[in-house]
Amino acid sequence: MDRETLTKIHVLYPQSSVVEELIQCGKLECESLYDAGCEVLEWWLVSDWLAVKLTEHGEVVIEDYGCRWWGRTTSGQAVYMDWVIAQICGE
């Protein structure tokens, strides 16, 4: 599967405002974000399959409320261009 196809199937919706609101209201535990030492720039709702793959590659993924949110640490380019997406496609 190529990177564009992977993102069309497994990266579902941008969710930054939703996740940030849940964090601010104390509805999501995100202490692991601070332990990871990374700055999440965007949140994306992803498929269960991609959430597992992203976690295996050390990416920030929150699993709660039946959702899987990926904490993307890059911005300003198409998601399919991210290094981690290229790595997953290369497997």
Side-chain angles (χ1 to χ4, degrees):
M1 176 179 328
D2 65 70
R3 293 184 290 172
E4 288 184 61
T5 302
L6 184 143
T7 57
K8 285 179 184 174
I9 295 171
H10 295 284
V11 180
L12 307 174
Y13 299 104
Q15 297 275 281
S16 294
S17 58
V18 172
V19 175
E20 289 169 12
E21 184 68 26
L22 288 169
I23 291 169
Q24 287 180 354
C25 292
K27 301 289 183 181
L28 288 176
E29 285 292 323
C30 294
E31 292 181 22
S32 61
L33 293 178
Y34 306 110
D35 295 340
C38 63
E39 181 181 359
V40 171
L41 302 175
E42 301 175 359
W43 290 100
W44 288 84
L45 183 66
V46 297
S47 69
D48 293 348
W49 178 85
L50 185 57
V52 169
K53 294 293 184 184
L54 291 166
T55 301
E56 289 172 357
H57 283 83
E59 294 289 304
V60 174
V61 176
I62 295 175
E63 298 185 25
D64 211 340
Y65 298 104
C67 298
R68 309 301 183 262
W69 290 292
W70 169 35
R72 188 175 179 220
T73 57
T74 58
S75 187
Q77 66 182 20
V79 173
Y80 72 84
M81 297 175 72
D82 284 13
W83 175 86
V84 71
I85 299 297
Q87 294 296 309
I88 292 168
C89 284
E91 295 176 350

